[in-house]
């Protein structure tokens, strides 16, 4: 093949984006087995085992792309790597039961460092009642690679997909948003300071909450348990890993409906708001587009919404509209804008 | 912590080896869920879903450690990455039904290159009746990372572990051994030639079989199907990924029994034998320690062995002995030697 021809046939991955690439690569596969209920395209795959449904989710985390060991303690990293996967299982309204953990490690990491990492994995397993059942351990030439698969179970009727939102549903979110993104900004800032003058003390005072949101997120097991206790039926659900806007797009696209979000209803912690302003950022933009909060985004009918206990850590942020109404956000001043899908894209690789 | 103290507390991963490291990191975890039948320590984890058993296996493949894109066509790589995982599921006497495929890619790879990779994944899925149900797609700073999880199903009574070999069992192996290792040696040799003089034509004549053994292995679905058709009960089984010796050690250790292998019974193809000799290697050593053949190693009683059809692609290579007799190999001259566990170790990382 001539050099010229080769050039013509080369499409950069960045031209398609993450979701375009996945569709391009896997769109033609099709499903053959009766037991395969759901394949690519939700938080997790769903397998029918006759009595119970098995739910499977997997994530690949690469050093330098998803985490920076300069400011990420290995125990926290182990804990977070598990949370990221459990969060996907909860987002199906299922219960995680098992995980496999595969790691690729270079000789830069000692056995003691890996022991720290696994102490975080173990803590997560203990607190969330999950068993470590397998994995793969291999060398890497450079960098630390983590691949975790979580396996959960659910009754068929309990499973919750992205595609079943109904017009008139109330859109809800657990916890608060944007904190993890701002926690990361602080850690990145202090890393710069440290690199410029290694003797400087990091300035993390009063930022425990938002730094914790980034370094040690919790999957929202409690929300799923609350749904079961209060007998609440959720129509569509997704976890917020890439940012609220991006996840709203998934629910809207897959349910073929519109969304209307009210800016003043977006839950943001005081710490996150103040930190956003001190970075010269709009707190709302951080709440909409900051990723890694691992909160749950879900929709339910107004009747179901009334069943939420007053103490529930859940906010109503908008409603599901018709497909024609599109995806909108209403600002505090009453103006309605197009909602833009941004979210974190990890697909701008280099070599 | 002082530099000296830090040094004392640093244990190199290579000091423990792969299996020592896994035991060190995961040995204290324990299992909490009733549905978890088998965790770390076999070809796959086993989950009890009431009616059927779910079997889960996962592998992490890193460029430069597990594959070299200089001589590995991407379609072959996609096919082989799936085979490696299906082989683990068959080694449990289970049937693979679903896979998840996660990739980390740098901008060195184009969309067309990834399409090639997925065409290999798709071919494997089609030929083996497996559904692609999920995964994760992310950027990497450098190198191509592949993580595949295979999910299979089995009846509880069919499942076959490493630990249930019985004294007096016949040790069997499917296919032939050492070919993949020698195929790799040829490809490595031709890579050296190519790097020294890029215009040289590769000398691969007559080596199709063994190069194919390395580049495009097949998981032994047919062997599992034959067991079912002939109603043959296998006591212990493992797939040969790290080399026959290493896998014999696993069965022997976990079954707490000895093994006696007869050198003259080891199946080696003529192509592999000739190539070994031309490299100055002992073909038997290649058969014992060469990895990546993805054949099945299993044990069964002499009564079950008689049920094997005469056309079965299976060889009797030895027998299970008492624990006291240890792990032995009898040479053609009748001498008995200690069997050494070698196998491929991917745990000598660098950075």
């Amino acid at each position: 093949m001539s050099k010229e021809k080769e050039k013509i046939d080369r499409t950069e991955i960045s031209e398609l984006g993450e979701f375009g690439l996945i569709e391009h690569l896997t769109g033609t596969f099709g499903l053959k087995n009766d037991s395969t209920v759901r394949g690519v395209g939700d938080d997790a795959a769903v397998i029918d085992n006759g009595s119970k449904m098995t739910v499977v989710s997997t994530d690949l985390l690469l050093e330098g792309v998803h985490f920076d060991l300069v400011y990420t303690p290995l125990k926290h990293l182990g804990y977070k790597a598990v949370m990221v996967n459990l969060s996907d299982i909860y987002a199906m309204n299922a219960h995680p039961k098992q995980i496999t953990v595969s790691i690729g490690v270079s000789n830069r990491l000692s056995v003691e460092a890996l022991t720290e990492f696994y102490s975080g994995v173990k803590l997560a397993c203990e607190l969330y009642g999950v068993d470590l059942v397998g994995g793969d351990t291999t060398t890497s030439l450079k960098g630390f690679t983590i691949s975790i698969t979580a396996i959960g179970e659910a009754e068929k009727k309990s499973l919750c997909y992205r595609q079943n939102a109904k017009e008139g549903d109330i859109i809800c979110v657990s916890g608060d948003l944007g904190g993890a993104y701002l926690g990361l900004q602080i850690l990145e800032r202090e890393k710069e300071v440290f690199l410029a003058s290694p003797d400087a003390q990091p300035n993390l005072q009063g930022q425990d909450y938002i730094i914790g949101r980034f370094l040690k997120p919790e999957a929202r097991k409690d929300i799923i348990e609350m749904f079961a206790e209060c007998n609440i039926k959720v129509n569509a659900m997704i976890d917020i890993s890439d940012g609220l806007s991006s996840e709203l797009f998934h629910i809207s696209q897959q349910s073929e409906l519109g969304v209307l979000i009210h800016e003043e209803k977006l839950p943001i912690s005081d710490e996150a708001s103040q930190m956003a302003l001190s970075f010269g950022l709009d707190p709302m933009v951080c709440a909409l587009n900051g990723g890694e909060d691992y909160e749950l985004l879900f929709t339910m009918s107004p009747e179901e919404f009334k069943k939420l206990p007053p103490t529930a850590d859940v906010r109503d942020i908008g409603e599901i509209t018709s497909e024609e109404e599109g995806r909108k956000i209403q600002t505090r001043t009453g103006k309605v804008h197009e909602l833009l899908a941004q979210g974190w894209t990890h697909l701008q690789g280099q070599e």
Side-chain angles (χ1 to χ4, degrees), chain A residues 25-36:
Chain A
L25 296 175
T26 68
T28 65
F29 269 68
L31 301 176
K32 288 169 288 288
N33 290 304
D34 291 341
S35 60
T36 310

Side-chain angles (χ1 to χ4, degrees), chain A residues 33-224:
Chain A
N33 290 304
D34 291 341
S35 60
T36 310
V37 178
R38 184 63 53 109
V40 177
D42 216 299
D43 293 281
V46 178
I47 298 162
D48 188 343
N49 287 300
S51 49
K52 276 177 187 151
M53 311 293 273
T54 298
V55 175
V56 181
S57 176
T58 191
D59 268 296
L60 184 61
L61 303 175
L62 306 178
E63 184 179 350
V65 178
H66 301 94
F67 58 90
D68 188 331
L69 291 181
V70 168
Y71 51 70
T72 310
L74 279 157
K75 184 173 180 179
H76 285 62
L77 181 61
Y79 191 88
K80 180 170 175 174
V82 177
M83 284 308 127
V84 169
N85 279 278
L86 301 192
S87 183
D88 280 319
I89 301 293
Y90 291 124
M92 303 297 290
N93 203 22
H95 297 273
K97 296 288 177 183
Q98 288 91 13
I99 55 168
T100 66
V101 176
S102 296
I103 54 171
V105 281
S106 71
N107 60 7
R108 180 171 52 102
L109 290 186
S110 65
V111 172
E112 288 75 15
L114 287 180
T115 304
E116 271 295 293
F117 175 79
Y118 271 83
S119 72
V121 171
K122 191 177 180 190
L123 182 62
C125 284
E126 284 169 356
L127 292 178
Y128 286 78
V130 167
D131 291 331
L132 175 72
V133 296
D136 191 12
T137 307
T138 183
T139 201
S140 77
L141 295 181
K142 199 168 158 50
F144 187 29
T145 299
I146 306 162
S147 177
I148 295 189
T149 297
I151 301 149
E153 66 175 41
E155 301 294 326
K156 195 169 194 165
K157 64 175 171 34
S158 311
L159 278 172
C160 190
Y161 297 101
R162 298 174 176 177
Q163 67 184 33
N164 292 334
K166 306 274 174 274
E167 200 175 332
D169 269 5
I170 295 177
I171 301 173
C172 302
V173 71
S174 65
D176 55 62
L177 301 174
Y181 175 76
L182 288 156
L184 173 60
Q185 301 316 305
I186 296 171
L187 292 168
E188 286 283 348
R189 181 190 69 193
E190 295 305 316
K191 179 185 173 184
E192 292 301 315
V193 171
F194 173 79
L195 293 177
S197 51
D199 291 331
Q201 288 299 307
N203 175 16
L204 305 174
Q205 254 192 336
Q207 311 306 339
D208 296 4
Y209 178 70
I210 52 181
I211 291 173
R213 292 289 286 167
F214 178 76
L215 287 183
K216 192 170 177 290
E218 300 290 343
R220 297 308 303 257
K221 183 183 199 230
D222 58 325
I223 299 289
I224 300 303

Side-chain angles (χ1 to χ4, degrees), chain A residues 10-21 345-350:
Chain A
R10 184 180 166 95
T11 311
E12 299 301 328
I13 290 169
S14 54
E15 292 176 44
L16 296 186
E18 180 177 355
F19 303 113
L21 179 66
T345 173
H346 290 305
L347 271 171
Q348 283 143 4
Q350 57 188 69

Side-chain angles (χ1 to χ4, degrees), chain A residues 17-19 181 241-250 282 284-291 327 338-346 348:
Chain A
E18 180 177 355
F19 303 113
Y181 175 76
S241 50
D242 293 335
L244 178 65
S245 293
S246 173
E247 317 305 356
L248 282 166
F249 259 70
H250 287 304
D282 181 345
M284 287 302 148
V285 173
C286 297
L288 281 166
N289 297 326
R327 293 177 275 260
E338 199 73 30
L339 189 69
L340 299 174
Q342 294 194 319
W344 286 10
T345 173
H346 290 305
Q348 283 143 4

Side-chain angles (χ1 to χ4, degrees), chain A residues 201-303:
Chain A
Q201 288 299 307
N203 175 16
L204 305 174
Q205 254 192 336
Q207 311 306 339
D208 296 4
Y209 178 70
I210 52 181
I211 291 173
R213 292 289 286 167
F214 178 76
L215 287 183
K216 192 170 177 290
E218 300 290 343
R220 297 308 303 257
K221 183 183 199 230
D222 58 325
I223 299 289
I224 300 303
E225 289 173 345
M226 187 256 300
F227 291 154
E229 277 160 28
C230 301
N231 197 24
I232 292 173
K233 189 181 176 325
V234 175
N235 287 334
M237 184 152 58
I238 190 170
D239 78 318
I240 303 178
S241 50
D242 293 335
L244 178 65
S245 293
S246 173
E247 317 305 356
L248 282 166
F249 259 70
H250 287 304
I251 286 184
S252 158
Q253 272 181 334
Q254 295 191 27
S255 296
E256 300 181 0
L257 289 168
V259 297
L260 176 63
I261 298 300
H262 303 282
E263 186 188 345
E264 85 276 7
K265 292 184 171 179
L266 294 182
I268 309 177
S269 70
D270 289 346
E271 291 90 335
S273 266
Q274 284 165 25
M275 192 46 61
L277 296 171
S278 87
F279 273 112
L281 298 168
D282 181 345
M284 287 302 148
V285 173
C286 297
L288 281 166
N289 297 326
E292 302 215 24
D293 284 317
Y294 299 106
E295 294 295 342
L296 291 172
L297 172 68
F298 44 93
T299 82
M300 58 176 76
S301 71
E303 294 72 46

